[in-house]
Amino acid sequence: MAYTIEGSTGPWEVVVGLEVHAQVISQSKLFSGAATAYGASPNSQVSFVDAAFPGMLPVPNREAIAQAVRTGLGLNAQINLVSRFDRKNYFYADLPQGYQISQFEHPIVGTGVVEIELADGSTKEVGITRLHLEQDAGKSVHDQHPTKSFIDLNRSGVALMEIVSEPDIRSPEEAGAYVKKLRSILRYLGTCDGNMEEGSLRADVNVSVRKAGEAYRTRCEVKNVNSVRFVMQAVEVEALRQIAVWEGGGEVQQETRLFDPNRGETRSMRSKEDAHDYRYFPDPDLLPVVLEQGWVDGLKAALPELPDAKQARFMAEYGLSRYDAGVLVAEQATALFFEGVAKGRDAKIAANWVTGDFFAAMNRTGRTIEDPPVSAAALGQLLDLMADSTINGKIAKEVFEAMVETGKGPAAIVDERGLRQVTDTGAIDAAVDAVIAANPEKVAEYRSGKDKLFGFFVGNVMKAMAGKGNPALVNAALKAKLG
Amino acid sequence: MSLDPATVRRIAKLARIRVDEAQVEALRTDLNSILGWIEQLNEVDVTGVEPLTGGTQMALRLREDVVSDGGIADAVLGNAPDRNGEFFAVPKVVE
Amino acid sequence: MLTDLTLAEARDGLRARKFSAVELTDAYLAAIEAVNPKLNAYVLVTGEAARAQALAADAALARGDAGPLAGIPLAIKDLFCTQGVRTTAGSRILEPFIPPYESTVTANLLRDGAIFLGKANMDEFAMGSSNMTSAFGPVTSPWTRRGDNRALVPGGSSGGSAAAVSARIALGATATDTGGSIRQPASFCGITGIKPTYGRCSRWGVVAFASSLDQAGPVARNVEDAAILLRSMAGFDPKDSTSADLPVPDFAAACRRGVKGLRIGVPKEYRSEGMPAEIEALWQQGLGWLREAGAEIVDVSLPHTKYGLATYYIVAPAEASSNLARYDGVRFGARTAGEDLASLYENTRAEGFGAEVRRRVLIGTYVLSAGYYDAYYLKAQKVRALILKDFTDVFRTVDALVTPTAPSAAFAQGEKMDDPITMYLNDIFTVPANMSGIPGLSVPAGLDAQGLPLGLQVLGRPFDEETVFAVGAALERAAGFTALPGIRAGAGAGG
Ligand SMILES: [Mg+2]
Ligand SMILES: [Zn+2]
C-alpha cells in the first residue's frame, strides 16, 4: 500500500529527495594538512589555508578523493575519471574564503542506486543522482556573548561528500530507511563514521506533495536534519504543512526551511527574494582531477563485502530469514560477531541468541559491538554446551547472564554453579514421582483430558530439579507416568 | 547587454560592497563601457571549442593524507580585528 | 659608486671581498633615504632587518658557504607575504596585515642569501598599469620627458619594483605579472623584466589577483641579472598544486647562447592601429639586430591576439571577484564596523578597496552571475583556448616571438585616467602571454623622441625561458641601452 496523507481534498502523495552531507574519514582536511579530529579546542586544527589567509593555496588530499571513489563504487555508481573543483561563491561568517570549493558541473561520481528494505519486507531502489566532494564550513557559536557570534574554523575545509538522491522516496519510512542504508554502506566502506550526533552525517530533505498522477509541485528544502528520526518527522510535518497551504488555497513557495525537533515543525530560513546567486566557476587554483582506471580498479578490488551482498550470503549460507539477515548485516561489526558465533554451529540458534539475549545485554549494559558484553567465542562456547546437552536452554540463559556479569567463560560458570544438566533417569523419575504424588487433583484433571496441564507438570519437575533436568527426558518420564 | 541601476545595486550586494546611491550612476557608466567593449568577443566563432580553464595543462597533483599543519591558533588569530579568546568575533548573526 | 654595479658585478665584488654586504646594503639604504621620497617606490623600508641579513651574508661569505645571492639587496613587491613584515598588496584593506608566513618565492631568495631592503609600492591588488591605484600614493617614475618636468608613471602594477631598480635604490626586485605587470613597467622604466611560464614560480604566499594568470618574476638592471634572480625565485613547490615539478635551468648561461639559427616569429597582429611610428621603427630595428646575429625572421599570425585583452577583462575580474572575497574584515586586515555582519562586510569592503578594485570586483561578479556566465565567462574561456592554440601552432615553426612590450612609452600621472579602457589598452601586447601561460621578457631597446625608454618583448614556448633569455640578451647586446633616468641614486639634487 502506497503511503498517502489524507487531506480535506483527498489523498496526497509525498515526494522526497535527500542531499546527505557525509564527512569523509581522513586524517587531514580536503585541501590542507590540518587535522580533522572531532572536539579539539577552537581554531587549533586550522591552517592558514583553512582560514583563507592571503596567498594560501589548496592542495587536494589523495585519500579524500579515494574515499569518494570508494563510496561511489559502494553506491553502484559511475566513477568519473575526469572531474573538477568549482567555487561556490557566497559570504558567510564561517566561510573564510568567501567561497566553498565544491564540484558543480563535473562531480567525481555520477548516477548510482541504493536498495532499501521496508518493514513489510518489500524492497525499493532509490536512485543516486551524484556524489561530489566539497569543503565543510567552520562553526559559528551564538550563545557565548550578548552581541557577538564567535567563529571556530576547526571544521573549515574538512572533506565532505554530498550524496544527492533522486526524488524517488515516497514516505517518511522510506526516507528513514534510505538514510539508515546509506549510513550502513558508508560505515562498511570506512568512508564516513555516520555519526549524526557529531554532525558527520547530516541530511537536507527536499519535500513536495502532489495528487496522484500529477507532475511535481514546488519543493522546499529542510536543511541540516541530524537524526534518522528527525528525517522521518521532517518529511511528515513538512508534507502536512504543504498540504495545508495547498488546501487553504495558497501556494507553496520554494524556500529553505529549518526543522525544529522541539516544536515538531519546520520554519522558513530565507526566502526566495534574497536567493543566492552562487556564481559557480572552475577553481583557478586547481587543475582537473584525472583518475586512472587502474587506480579505481584497485580501490574496487579492495572493497569489503557490502551489506546487500552480505545479507544475501547470510540467507543462502546460513538459511536466515531476510529480516534476520538484514538486522545482522546493518553494522559490519555485528555481522562479524554473528559469523564468529555461527561458524560451525546451528546458524539459526546463533542468530536468535545474537539478536535476542546478546542485543538485550548490550543495550542493558551500554556496551557496544566493538566492546561487547560477551565475546563471540564465549557465546559460541555457550551454544556448544547446549548442543552437547551439557546444559539446557533455560540454564543457558542463566549462564549467559552470569557471563555478562562476571566475564567468565560458560564452562567455568556451569562447573562452579553445578548447572550441568541432569540426565540420570533415576533422579528424573524420582522428581516426576514426587510431583505426581503432590498433585493428585491435577493428575486427575489431566487424565480426564485437560492436556494443557502437561506444562504445569514439566514446570514443577524442572523447579524441583533446580532447572537442570534434561527437558526431553523429563518430558518422556512424565508422559510415561501420567499415561 | 546594458546594466540598469537595479542590476548595479544587486551586483554590489552580491559582492558585499556598499555602494551609495550617489555612486550608482557613475559606476553604471563605467561598467557599461567596459562591458560594451568586451562585446567584441561576439565576433569570435567558438563553435566546438573546449573552454580552457586554468593557467596550465599539467595534471593535478595530490598530497598524501598526513597531518602536517594546524596547532597554530595564536598565529591564525593574531591578525584578527576582533578576537575573543580562541575565537574570531563578529557582530551576532541571527539565523 | 656601489649602487651603480649590476647584480652580477656586485655578486662578484662580494665574493672577491672588494666590499662587504653591509657596505653594499648601507649604500642602498642611504640611496633609498635620499631618493625614495621623490619616487614613493617603497611603502616600507626594513633597514634594520636588512643590516642583520647583511651581517649574516658577510659571515657566510667569510665562511665560504654563501648562497648564490648572498649580500644582494632587493626590493620585494608588496604582494609577496613576508613573515613578520607588513604586507598590504597596495590596499587599505590589508594595511594592518602582518603575515605569519613567508611566500615561497621570497623564502627561496632568503635561502640563497638575498637581503630585503623593504616592500615595493604597487597598484592595489596588482590591478593597474600606472601605479596610480595604490592606497599608499602613486609611484613617480625616475624618468622624465626631455624638457618636461611633469611626473610620469612607472607603469604597473609592479611600478614600485621597476622604479626602485631603475633609480638604483634596489639591485633587483620581485614583481608579479597578471596581464603585463612585470613587462610594461620594465619597459616604461628602461629595465629588464621577465614573466616566466605559469607554474615556474610558486604562487604560494603571493596575494592572489587572478589565479590562473598570476605569475611572479624578477625585474633587474639587465637580462643576465634577471636570469640570476629568476633561477633563485623559481622551482617546484608542493604547496602550489599548479607549480611545475621541473628542474630550474641555469638561465644566466642561456643568456650567452646567442641566436644563431633561431627562428624568430613576428606576429602581424601586433601592429596595433595608432601605434607610434617610433615603436614600429624600434621593433623593426630589433628584428634587424637579430637577423644580423644569425636569426631567421619569420612572419607569423596569431589571429586571436586582438581578443586577448577583452578576454582578460572577463577572466581576471571574475577570478579576482572570488579571490578578494576573503577580505571581509573578520580574520585579518582592516574592518569597518557595521550594525550587523552584512553591513560590516559591505562597509569594510567599500572603504578598504579603492575605486579600480571595486570596479573590477563588480565586473567579475557580474560576468559570473546567473544568466550571464555563458555569455561572458564561458565565452572568454573558449576564446582563451583559441589564443593558446594560436601560440601552440606558431611555436611549431618558430622558437620565439618578438614584439613591442607596450603600445606607448610612459605617460604622465593623471593622463589616461578618465576612461578605464584607455588604461587597459596598455596591456594589449602583454596579456596574451598570461592567457596562454607562456614566458615573456621585456628588454629596453631604445628611447623615444622625448627620451623615454621603450622595451621589446620576447615570447617563448612554455618552460623554454632559456631561449627567451638568449634572444633577450642578443637584443640587449645589440641595443647597447645605456640611458639612465634623471632621478637615481647618486644623480644629485633634483635628479
Ligand atoms: Mg543542499
Ligand atoms: Zn553541499
Side-chain angles (χ1 to χ4, degrees), chain A residues 59-88:
Chain A
V59 183
N61 180 341
R62 183 190 310 278
E63 176 64 7
I65 286 169
Q67 292 287 55
V69 170
R70 286 185 190 109
T71 306
L73 293 168
L75 299 175
N76 312 297
Q78 179 199 328
I79 306 302
N80 294 324
L81 295 181
V82 179
S83 66
R84 203 175 63 196
F85 286 109
D86 297 300
R87 292 185 182 177
K88 177 182 184 179

PDB file of all heavy atoms in Angstrom, chain A residues 59-88:
ATOM      1  N   VAL A  59      45.755  22.268  -1.787  1.00  0.00           N
ATOM      2  CA  VAL A  59      46.364  21.095  -2.423  1.00  0.00           C
ATOM      3  C   VAL A  59      45.523  19.886  -2.016  1.00  0.00           C
ATOM      4  O   VAL A  59      45.404  19.582  -0.837  1.00  0.00           O
ATOM      5  CB  VAL A  59      47.830  20.894  -1.987  1.00  0.00           C
ATOM      6  CG1 VAL A  59      48.441  19.713  -2.730  1.00  0.00           C
ATOM      7  CG2 VAL A  59      48.652  22.152  -2.240  1.00  0.00           C
ATOM      8  N   PRO A  60      44.920  19.212  -2.990  1.00  0.00           N
ATOM      9  CA  PRO A  60      43.954  18.161  -2.655  1.00  0.00           C
ATOM     10  C   PRO A  60      44.585  16.919  -2.022  1.00  0.00           C
ATOM     11  O   PRO A  60      45.701  16.530  -2.350  1.00  0.00           O
ATOM     12  CB  PRO A  60      43.320  17.794  -4.002  1.00  0.00           C
ATOM     13  CG  PRO A  60      43.803  18.791  -4.983  1.00  0.00           C
ATOM     14  CD  PRO A  60      45.017  19.452  -4.436  1.00  0.00           C
ATOM     15  N   ASN A  61      43.802  16.322  -1.137  1.00  0.00           N
ATOM     16  CA  ASN A  61      44.181  15.150  -0.376  1.00  0.00           C
ATOM     17  C   ASN A  61      43.808  13.891  -1.166  1.00  0.00           C
ATOM     18  O   ASN A  61      42.641  13.667  -1.469  1.00  0.00           O
ATOM     19  CB  ASN A  61      43.402  15.231   0.951  1.00  0.00           C
ATOM     20  CG  ASN A  61      43.657  14.084   1.893  1.00  0.00           C
ATOM     21  OD1 ASN A  61      44.139  13.024   1.491  1.00  0.00           O
ATOM     22  ND2 ASN A  61      43.324  14.297   3.150  1.00  0.00           N
ATOM     23  N   ARG A  62      44.807  13.086  -1.488  1.00  0.00           N
ATOM     24  CA  ARG A  62      44.579  11.891  -2.299  1.00  0.00           C
ATOM     25  C   ARG A  62      43.581  10.942  -1.631  1.00  0.00           C
ATOM     26  O   ARG A  62      42.714  10.354  -2.284  1.00  0.00           O
ATOM     27  CB  ARG A  62      45.907  11.161  -2.523  1.00  0.00           C
ATOM     28  CG  ARG A  62      45.803   9.926  -3.412  1.00  0.00           C
ATOM     29  CD  ARG A  62      47.094   9.091  -3.406  1.00  0.00           C
ATOM     30  NE  ARG A  62      48.273   9.904  -3.660  1.00  0.00           N
ATOM     31  CZ  ARG A  62      48.677  10.277  -4.870  1.00  0.00           C
ATOM     32  NH1 ARG A  62      48.005   9.891  -5.921  1.00  0.00           N
ATOM     33  NH2 ARG A  62      49.745  11.036  -5.018  1.00  0.00           N
ATOM     34  N   GLU A  63      43.699  10.801  -0.308  1.00  0.00           N
ATOM     35  CA  GLU A  63      42.829   9.866   0.396  1.00  0.00           C
ATOM     36  C   GLU A  63      41.360  10.324   0.342  1.00  0.00           C
ATOM     37  O   GLU A  63      40.459   9.495   0.200  1.00  0.00           O
ATOM     38  CB  GLU A  63      43.294   9.708   1.851  1.00  0.00           C
ATOM     39  CG  GLU A  63      42.409   8.843   2.723  1.00  0.00           C
ATOM     40  CD  GLU A  63      42.332   7.377   2.281  1.00  0.00           C
ATOM     41  OE1 GLU A  63      43.069   6.986   1.365  1.00  0.00           O
ATOM     42  OE2 GLU A  63      41.512   6.644   2.867  1.00  0.00           O
ATOM     43  N   ALA A  64      41.127  11.629   0.426  1.00  0.00           N
ATOM     44  CA  ALA A  64      39.745  12.119   0.357  1.00  0.00           C
ATOM     45  C   ALA A  64      39.142  11.757  -0.998  1.00  0.00           C
ATOM     46  O   ALA A  64      37.971  11.368  -1.104  1.00  0.00           O
ATOM     47  CB  ALA A  64      39.717  13.628   0.581  1.00  0.00           C
ATOM     48  N   ILE A  65      39.959  11.866  -2.032  1.00  0.00           N
ATOM     49  CA  ILE A  65      39.485  11.511  -3.369  1.00  0.00           C
ATOM     50  C   ILE A  65      39.233  10.008  -3.459  1.00  0.00           C
ATOM     51  O   ILE A  65      38.215   9.559  -3.991  1.00  0.00           O
ATOM     52  CB  ILE A  65      40.481  12.035  -4.423  1.00  0.00           C
ATOM     53  CG1 ILE A  65      40.307  13.560  -4.511  1.00  0.00           C
ATOM     54  CG2 ILE A  65      40.271  11.369  -5.777  1.00  0.00           C
ATOM     55  CD1 ILE A  65      41.346  14.286  -5.286  1.00  0.00           C
ATOM     56  N   ALA A  66      40.133   9.226  -2.863  1.00  0.00           N
ATOM     57  CA  ALA A  66      39.939   7.767  -2.853  1.00  0.00           C
ATOM     58  C   ALA A  66      38.657   7.411  -2.098  1.00  0.00           C
ATOM     59  O   ALA A  66      37.900   6.534  -2.534  1.00  0.00           O
ATOM     60  CB  ALA A  66      41.148   7.084  -2.196  1.00  0.00           C
ATOM     61  N   GLN A  67      38.401   8.086  -0.992  1.00  0.00           N
ATOM     62  CA  GLN A  67      37.197   7.800  -0.210  1.00  0.00           C
ATOM     63  C   GLN A  67      35.931   8.081  -1.021  1.00  0.00           C
ATOM     64  O   GLN A  67      34.963   7.321  -0.962  1.00  0.00           O
ATOM     65  CB  GLN A  67      37.189   8.632   1.084  1.00  0.00           C
ATOM     66  CG  GLN A  67      38.274   8.241   2.091  1.00  0.00           C
ATOM     67  CD  GLN A  67      37.995   6.921   2.787  1.00  0.00           C
ATOM     68  OE1 GLN A  67      37.790   5.900   2.115  1.00  0.00           O
ATOM     69  NE2 GLN A  67      37.986   6.913   4.107  1.00  0.00           N
ATOM     70  N   ALA A  68      35.956   9.157  -1.781  1.00  0.00           N
ATOM     71  CA  ALA A  68      34.792   9.477  -2.613  1.00  0.00           C
ATOM     72  C   ALA A  68      34.591   8.399  -3.674  1.00  0.00           C
ATOM     73  O   ALA A  68      33.462   7.984  -3.959  1.00  0.00           O
ATOM     74  CB  ALA A  68      34.966  10.851  -3.264  1.00  0.00           C
ATOM     75  N   VAL A  69      35.706   7.927  -4.233  1.00  0.00           N
ATOM     76  CA  VAL A  69      35.599   6.884  -5.259  1.00  0.00           C
ATOM     77  C   VAL A  69      35.080   5.585  -4.636  1.00  0.00           C
ATOM     78  O   VAL A  69      34.187   4.931  -5.177  1.00  0.00           O
ATOM     79  CB  VAL A  69      36.963   6.661  -5.948  1.00  0.00           C
ATOM     80  CG1 VAL A  69      36.932   5.421  -6.829  1.00  0.00           C
ATOM     81  CG2 VAL A  69      37.337   7.895  -6.767  1.00  0.00           C
ATOM     82  N   ARG A  70      35.624   5.220  -3.459  1.00  0.00           N
ATOM     83  CA  ARG A  70      35.136   4.004  -2.775  1.00  0.00           C
ATOM     84  C   ARG A  70      33.628   4.115  -2.535  1.00  0.00           C
ATOM     85  O   ARG A  70      32.881   3.156  -2.753  1.00  0.00           O
ATOM     86  CB  ARG A  70      35.836   3.843  -1.421  1.00  0.00           C
ATOM     87  CG  ARG A  70      37.272   3.391  -1.528  1.00  0.00           C
ATOM     88  CD  ARG A  70      37.874   3.142  -0.125  1.00  0.00           C
ATOM     89  NE  ARG A  70      39.302   2.935  -0.246  1.00  0.00           N
ATOM     90  CZ  ARG A  70      40.230   3.811   0.156  1.00  0.00           C
ATOM     91  NH1 ARG A  70      39.863   4.937   0.756  1.00  0.00           N
ATOM     92  NH2 ARG A  70      41.505   3.560  -0.029  1.00  0.00           N
ATOM     93  N   THR A  71      33.208   5.281  -2.087  1.00  0.00           N
ATOM     94  CA  THR A  71      31.782   5.460  -1.809  1.00  0.00           C
ATOM     95  C   THR A  71      30.967   5.318  -3.089  1.00  0.00           C
ATOM     96  O   THR A  71      29.930   4.658  -3.104  1.00  0.00           O
ATOM     97  CB  THR A  71      31.542   6.829  -1.153  1.00  0.00           C
ATOM     98  OG1 THR A  71      32.390   6.943  -0.003  1.00  0.00           O
ATOM     99  CG2 THR A  71      30.093   6.980  -0.724  1.00  0.00           C
ATOM    100  N   GLY A  72      31.459   5.931  -4.153  1.00  0.00           N
ATOM    101  CA  GLY A  72      30.767   5.799  -5.426  1.00  0.00           C
ATOM    102  C   GLY A  72      30.643   4.343  -5.845  1.00  0.00           C
ATOM    103  O   GLY A  72      29.588   3.892  -6.289  1.00  0.00           O
ATOM    104  N   LEU A  73      31.729   3.596  -5.650  1.00  0.00           N
ATOM    105  CA  LEU A  73      31.690   2.169  -6.002  1.00  0.00           C
ATOM    106  C   LEU A  73      30.676   1.446  -5.131  1.00  0.00           C
ATOM    107  O   LEU A  73      29.919   0.594  -5.597  1.00  0.00           O
ATOM    108  CB  LEU A  73      33.084   1.560  -5.838  1.00  0.00           C
ATOM    109  CG  LEU A  73      34.145   2.068  -6.831  1.00  0.00           C
ATOM    110  CD1 LEU A  73      35.548   1.638  -6.390  1.00  0.00           C
ATOM    111  CD2 LEU A  73      33.855   1.574  -8.245  1.00  0.00           C
ATOM    112  N   GLY A  74      30.621   1.824  -3.843  1.00  0.00           N
ATOM    113  CA  GLY A  74      29.681   1.198  -2.923  1.00  0.00           C
ATOM    114  C   GLY A  74      28.232   1.546  -3.231  1.00  0.00           C
ATOM    115  O   GLY A  74      27.323   0.839  -2.815  1.00  0.00           O
ATOM    116  N   LEU A  75      28.021   2.624  -3.940  1.00  0.00           N
ATOM    117  CA  LEU A  75      26.673   3.035  -4.318  1.00  0.00           C
ATOM    118  C   LEU A  75      26.353   2.578  -5.743  1.00  0.00           C
ATOM    119  O   LEU A  75      25.423   3.084  -6.364  1.00  0.00           O
ATOM    120  CB  LEU A  75      26.523   4.563  -4.217  1.00  0.00           C
ATOM    121  CG  LEU A  75      26.745   5.168  -2.819  1.00  0.00           C
ATOM    122  CD1 LEU A  75      26.681   6.694  -2.872  1.00  0.00           C
ATOM    123  CD2 LEU A  75      25.719   4.637  -1.829  1.00  0.00           C
ATOM    124  N   ASN A  76      27.132   1.662  -6.234  1.00  0.00           N
ATOM    125  CA  ASN A  76      26.926   1.114  -7.589  1.00  0.00           C
ATOM    126  C   ASN A  76      26.901   2.238  -8.618  1.00  0.00           C
ATOM    127  O   ASN A  76      26.110   2.207  -9.558  1.00  0.00           O
ATOM    128  CB  ASN A  76      25.611   0.339  -7.659  1.00  0.00           C
ATOM    129  CG  ASN A  76      25.451  -0.624  -6.508  1.00  0.00           C
ATOM    130  OD1 ASN A  76      26.238  -1.540  -6.372  1.00  0.00           O
ATOM    131  ND2 ASN A  76      24.468  -0.385  -5.650  1.00  0.00           N
ATOM    132  N   ALA A  77      27.754   3.227  -8.413  1.00  0.00           N
ATOM    133  CA  ALA A  77      27.660   4.432  -9.234  1.00  0.00           C
ATOM    134  C   ALA A  77      28.807   4.527 -10.231  1.00  0.00           C
ATOM    135  O   ALA A  77      29.840   3.871 -10.099  1.00  0.00           O
ATOM    136  CB  ALA A  77      27.659   5.664  -8.348  1.00  0.00           C
ATOM    137  N   GLN A  78      28.573   5.387 -11.189  1.00  0.00           N
ATOM    138  CA  GLN A  78      29.562   5.652 -12.217  1.00  0.00           C
ATOM    139  C   GLN A  78      30.683   6.513 -11.627  1.00  0.00           C
ATOM    140  O   GLN A  78      30.420   7.521 -10.968  1.00  0.00           O
ATOM    141  CB  GLN A  78      28.846   6.402 -13.338  1.00  0.00           C
ATOM    142  CG  GLN A  78      29.713   6.781 -14.497  1.00  0.00           C
ATOM    143  CD  GLN A  78      29.056   7.893 -15.299  1.00  0.00           C
ATOM    144  OE1 GLN A  78      27.830   7.964 -15.389  1.00  0.00           O
ATOM    145  NE2 GLN A  78      29.863   8.772 -15.850  1.00  0.00           N
ATOM    146  N   ILE A  79      31.931   6.129 -11.849  1.00  0.00           N
ATOM    147  CA  ILE A  79      33.068   6.926 -11.388  1.00  0.00           C
ATOM    148  C   ILE A  79      33.556   7.762 -12.564  1.00  0.00           C
ATOM    149  O   ILE A  79      33.860   7.224 -13.627  1.00  0.00           O
ATOM    150  CB  ILE A  79      34.220   6.016 -10.893  1.00  0.00           C
ATOM    151  CG1 ILE A  79      33.715   5.033  -9.825  1.00  0.00           C
ATOM    152  CG2 ILE A  79      35.382   6.854 -10.386  1.00  0.00           C
ATOM    153  CD1 ILE A  79      33.098   5.659  -8.604  1.00  0.00           C
ATOM    154  N   ASN A  80      33.590   9.055 -12.379  1.00  0.00           N
ATOM    155  CA  ASN A  80      34.036   9.942 -13.458  1.00  0.00           C
ATOM    156  C   ASN A  80      35.552  10.110 -13.394  1.00  0.00           C
ATOM    157  O   ASN A  80      36.069  10.669 -12.431  1.00  0.00           O
ATOM    158  CB  ASN A  80      33.331  11.290 -13.365  1.00  0.00           C
ATOM    159  CG  ASN A  80      31.842  11.156 -13.614  1.00  0.00           C
ATOM    160  OD1 ASN A  80      31.419  10.346 -14.449  1.00  0.00           O
ATOM    161  ND2 ASN A  80      31.039  11.910 -12.880  1.00  0.00           N
ATOM    162  N   LEU A  81      36.233   9.635 -14.417  1.00  0.00           N
ATOM    163  CA  LEU A  81      37.699   9.670 -14.391  1.00  0.00           C
ATOM    164  C   LEU A  81      38.229  11.090 -14.509  1.00  0.00           C
ATOM    165  O   LEU A  81      39.367  11.362 -14.152  1.00  0.00           O
ATOM    166  CB  LEU A  81      38.270   8.782 -15.503  1.00  0.00           C
ATOM    167  CG  LEU A  81      37.977   7.285 -15.342  1.00  0.00           C
ATOM    168  CD1 LEU A  81      38.605   6.489 -16.473  1.00  0.00           C
ATOM    169  CD2 LEU A  81      38.464   6.760 -13.991  1.00  0.00           C
ATOM    170  N   VAL A  82      37.410  11.985 -15.029  1.00  0.00           N
ATOM    171  CA  VAL A  82      37.784  13.402 -15.033  1.00  0.00           C
ATOM    172  C   VAL A  82      36.692  14.177 -14.302  1.00  0.00           C
ATOM    173  O   VAL A  82      35.523  14.108 -14.663  1.00  0.00           O
ATOM    174  CB  VAL A  82      37.946  13.949 -16.466  1.00  0.00           C
ATOM    175  CG1 VAL A  82      38.310  15.432 -16.421  1.00  0.00           C
ATOM    176  CG2 VAL A  82      39.002  13.169 -17.233  1.00  0.00           C
ATOM    177  N   SER A  83      37.081  14.855 -13.257  1.00  0.00           N
ATOM    178  CA  SER A  83      36.133  15.729 -12.562  1.00  0.00           C
ATOM    179  C   SER A  83      36.853  17.035 -12.247  1.00  0.00           C
ATOM    180  O   SER A  83      38.032  17.192 -12.579  1.00  0.00           O
ATOM    181  CB  SER A  83      35.599  15.060 -11.292  1.00  0.00           C
ATOM    182  OG  SER A  83      36.632  14.880 -10.348  1.00  0.00           O
ATOM    183  N   ARG A  84      36.132  17.953 -11.619  1.00  0.00           N
ATOM    184  CA  ARG A  84      36.734  19.274 -11.466  1.00  0.00           C
ATOM    185  C   ARG A  84      36.218  19.918 -10.193  1.00  0.00           C
ATOM    186  O   ARG A  84      35.078  19.672  -9.785  1.00  0.00           O
ATOM    187  CB  ARG A  84      36.341  20.129 -12.669  1.00  0.00           C
ATOM    188  CG  ARG A  84      37.290  21.266 -12.941  1.00  0.00           C
ATOM    189  CD  ARG A  84      36.898  21.981 -14.207  1.00  0.00           C
ATOM    190  NE  ARG A  84      35.578  22.578 -14.079  1.00  0.00           N
ATOM    191  CZ  ARG A  84      34.851  22.994 -15.102  1.00  0.00           C
ATOM    192  NH1 ARG A  84      35.301  22.879 -16.318  1.00  0.00           N
ATOM    193  NH2 ARG A  84      33.670  23.531 -14.899  1.00  0.00           N
ATOM    194  N   PHE A  85      37.040  20.739  -9.598  1.00  0.00           N
ATOM    195  CA  PHE A  85      36.599  21.525  -8.444  1.00  0.00           C
ATOM    196  C   PHE A  85      36.160  22.909  -8.909  1.00  0.00           C
ATOM    197  O   PHE A  85      36.841  23.555  -9.706  1.00  0.00           O
ATOM    198  CB  PHE A  85      37.722  21.652  -7.424  1.00  0.00           C
ATOM    199  CG  PHE A  85      37.964  20.383  -6.646  1.00  0.00           C
ATOM    200  CD1 PHE A  85      39.104  19.631  -6.866  1.00  0.00           C
ATOM    201  CD2 PHE A  85      37.038  19.927  -5.713  1.00  0.00           C
ATOM    202  CE1 PHE A  85      39.322  18.451  -6.164  1.00  0.00           C
ATOM    203  CE2 PHE A  85      37.243  18.755  -5.009  1.00  0.00           C
ATOM    204  CZ  PHE A  85      38.389  18.017  -5.239  1.00  0.00           C
ATOM    205  N   ASP A  86      35.011  23.308  -8.397  1.00  0.00           N
ATOM    206  CA  ASP A  86      34.476  24.630  -8.716  1.00  0.00           C
ATOM    207  C   ASP A  86      34.365  25.437  -7.437  1.00  0.00           C
ATOM    208  O   ASP A  86      34.366  24.894  -6.334  1.00  0.00           O
ATOM    209  CB  ASP A  86      33.083  24.492  -9.339  1.00  0.00           C
ATOM    210  CG  ASP A  86      33.102  23.739 -10.644  1.00  0.00           C
ATOM    211  OD1 ASP A  86      33.774  24.200 -11.581  1.00  0.00           O
ATOM    212  OD2 ASP A  86      32.463  22.672 -10.730  1.00  0.00           O
ATOM    213  N   ARG A  87      34.236  26.736  -7.607  1.00  0.00           N
ATOM    214  CA  ARG A  87      33.982  27.597  -6.448  1.00  0.00           C
ATOM    215  C   ARG A  87      32.515  27.984  -6.401  1.00  0.00           C
ATOM    216  O   ARG A  87      31.950  28.366  -7.421  1.00  0.00           O
ATOM    217  CB  ARG A  87      34.828  28.866  -6.528  1.00  0.00           C
ATOM    218  CG  ARG A  87      36.310  28.625  -6.366  1.00  0.00           C
ATOM    219  CD  ARG A  87      37.018  29.967  -6.339  1.00  0.00           C
ATOM    220  NE  ARG A  87      38.462  29.810  -6.241  1.00  0.00           N
ATOM    221  CZ  ARG A  87      39.298  30.841  -6.263  1.00  0.00           C
ATOM    222  NH1 ARG A  87      38.826  32.081  -6.375  1.00  0.00           N
ATOM    223  NH2 ARG A  87      40.602  30.636  -6.169  1.00  0.00           N
ATOM    224  N   LYS A  88      31.956  27.882  -5.216  1.00  0.00           N
ATOM    225  CA  LYS A  88      30.581  28.315  -4.963  1.00  0.00           C
ATOM    226  C   LYS A  88      30.699  29.555  -4.090  1.00  0.00           C
ATOM    227  O   LYS A  88      31.122  29.474  -2.926  1.00  0.00           O
ATOM    228  CB  LYS A  88      29.843  27.193  -4.239  1.00  0.00           C
ATOM    229  CG  LYS A  88      28.424  27.498  -3.825  1.00  0.00           C
ATOM    230  CD  LYS A  88      27.840  26.290  -3.076  1.00  0.00           C
ATOM    231  CE  LYS A  88      26.393  26.512  -2.719  1.00  0.00           C
ATOM    232  NZ  LYS A  88      25.822  25.344  -2.013  1.00  0.00           N
TER     233      LYS A  88
END
